[in-house]
Amino acid sequence: MQHRTLGTTGPRVSALGLGAMGMSALYGEADRAESIATIHAALDAGVTLIDTGDFYGMGHNELLIGEALRTTSEANRAKALTSVKFGALRDPDGGWSGYDGRPAAVKNFAAYSLQRLGVDHIDVYRIARVDPDVPVEETVGAIAELVEAGHVRHIGLSEVGADTLRRAAAVAPISDLQIEYSLISRGIEDRILPTARELGIGVTAYGVLSRGLISGHFDRDRQLGAGDFRGMSPRFQGENLQRNLDLVDALRKVAEGKGASVAQTAIAWVLARGEDIVPLVGARRRDRLTEALGALDLTLDAADLAAIEEAVPAGAASGARYPESQMAHLDSER
């Protein structure tokens, strides 16, 4: 397994991380036994970074990861690093009702996450979206107190813009920014990524396959089940979907020339963007995990990268990455 360091102050982690959200929420039903087997397989393969959120399935995802950690080998437990997002407020019907970044809430969320995960510390802790009613300095300051107390090892951020990144970094060392980054989501390249690099902050990139859209496995006539986030995502709707899958068809030709899958090529492109970027792959099954890990063996030279970007030019995606109501919560889009 290749490794990378999250920023100048963060931990050394596997070059690919495992994003566990889909095992509990937003992509339809998942098989619990297969989910745990996939986490075990990831750890066996040398993946050390497991990403979750305390609101994924209202705690279900953390409990799932906790079970997987309890039932793996001692060696795997010792090397596993947890990255946890907090702050999203849910209701009993699964609805969303804002974000809470107050210092007291930060510590409350952390207490429950530690218990559900069955660990004595969280390796990277971050608010999922900036609370518009609480200065980011206060939220980060509360996490810093958790670091001082030994409950958290490193402070992360999620979906924040360049200015907020600077404000947060002035309070305490920030290990990494978790943000969407893929061939069809390249908005961070203008200001956010350069600012992160200036400040010595790493990037954990989620959505590297754009929720399966550019995985090579999404069919044009696929019917999405109830509760699947993609049923509301603009990029999966009508003509947007068809145009985006045309991009995938173009990418497939490049991938075939490399003897790789579409997913491997898309992941390898993100890996090639810099040693300070760690892609998170949202594999819910062992076969998808195995495919994703194959990206680590794919070398892209300058000609390959040019061919990939000719197939999927920057800004070519049709549709926003979230519905309008959710885009409004993204500090990174302001």
Side-chain angles (χ1 to χ4, degrees):
M1 175 57 66
Q2 302 166 26
H3 292 82
R4 295 182 171 187
T5 301
L6 295 182
T8 56
T9 65
R12 191 154 179 81
V13 301
S14 51
L16 285 182
L18 179 64
M21 182 187 73
M23 298 176 180
S24 298
L26 300 180
Y27 294 136
E29 292 295 324
D31 182 281
R32 184 181 187 85
E34 180 61 23
S35 295
I36 291 174
T38 300
I39 296 173
H40 286 170
L43 293 168
D44 289 341
V47 172
T48 62
L49 185 64
I50 302 177
D51 183 77
T52 184
D54 63 9
F55 48 91
Y56 294 164
M58 286 74 80
H60 177 277
N61 204 238
E62 289 182 321
L63 289 169
L64 183 78
I65 292 169
E67 181 179 346
L69 293 177
R70 285 194 308 274
T71 54
T72 192
S73 68
E74 183 177 347
N76 279 348
R77 280 195 300 278
K79 69 184 180 183
L81 302 176
T82 53
S83 169
V84 180
K85 292 180 290 298
F86 68 88
L89 303 177
R90 308 294 302 271
D91 63 38
D93 296 319
W96 304 80
S97 50
Y99 297 90
D100 194 342
R102 296 171 301 151
V106 173
K107 295 174 182 179
N108 178 75
F109 288 131
Y112 282 90
S113 287
L114 289 166
Q115 179 68 24
R116 285 189 290 257
L117 289 166
V119 297
D120 61 9
H121 70 272
I122 295 166
D123 292 286
V124 188
Y125 202 48
R126 71 188 86 240
I127 191 165
R129 301 286 186 269
V130 174
D131 182 344
D133 298 322
V134 178
V136 71
E137 291 86 349
E138 293 184 16
T139 302
V140 169
I143 306 176
E145 291 178 4
L146 289 171
V147 172
E148 185 176 357
H151 303 304
V152 169
R153 293 281 170 84
H154 303 278
I155 304 170
L157 292 168
S158 175
E159 285 290 355
V160 304
D163 294 340
T164 302
L165 201 57
R166 291 188 186 279
R167 289 170 52 198
V171 175
I174 306 297
S175 67
D176 68 300
L177 168 64
Q178 188 172 123
I179 196 162
E180 186 168 359
Y181 187 41
S182 74
L183 270 168
I184 64 171
S185 296
R186 298 180 60 175
I188 71 169
E189 294 176 349
D190 294 334
R191 291 189 62 220
I192 296 173
L193 184 56
T195 301
R197 286 175 167 163
E198 175 192 337
L199 298 171
I201 296 171
V203 169
T204 41
Y206 77 88
V208 293
L209 297 179
S210 197
R211 299 163 183 81
L213 181 59
I214 60 172
S215 67
H217 299 299
F218 200 92
D219 296 329
R220 291 180 183 272
D221 57 353
R222 180 171 173 178
Q223 297 298 308
L224 297 171
D228 192 317
F229 163 82
R230 293 169 294 189
M232 300 181 296
S233 172
R235 289 182 175 172
F236 288 83
Q237 308 305 312
E239 292 185 3
N240 285 348
L241 175 62
Q242 301 308 317
R243 287 195 290 266
N244 290 330
L245 290 179
D246 287 342
L247 298 175
V248 176
D249 289 341
L251 181 60
R252 182 175 284 107
K253 294 177 182 177
V254 180
E256 289 173 348
K258 293 291 293 181
S261 72
V262 174
Q264 289 168 341
T265 305
I267 295 168
W269 180 87
V270 178
L271 283 164
R273 302 306 286 177
E275 289 289 320
D276 54 349
I277 299 174
V278 174
L280 300 172
V281 295
R284 301 196 294 172
R285 302 182 341 223
R286 283 168 287 180
D287 59 338
R288 294 287 193 253
L289 172 67
T290 298
E291 179 185 22
L293 291 172
L296 294 168
D297 299 320
L298 182 59
T299 300
L300 301 177
D301 60 23
D304 297 326
L305 293 171
I308 289 169
E309 296 192 26
E310 182 179 356
V312 187
S318 295
R321 57 194 184 100
Y322 284 97
E324 185 176 352
S325 60
Q326 295 181 36
M327 290 289 285
H329 293 292
L330 297 178
D331 182 81
S332 56
E333 293 289 338
R334 294 172 188 166

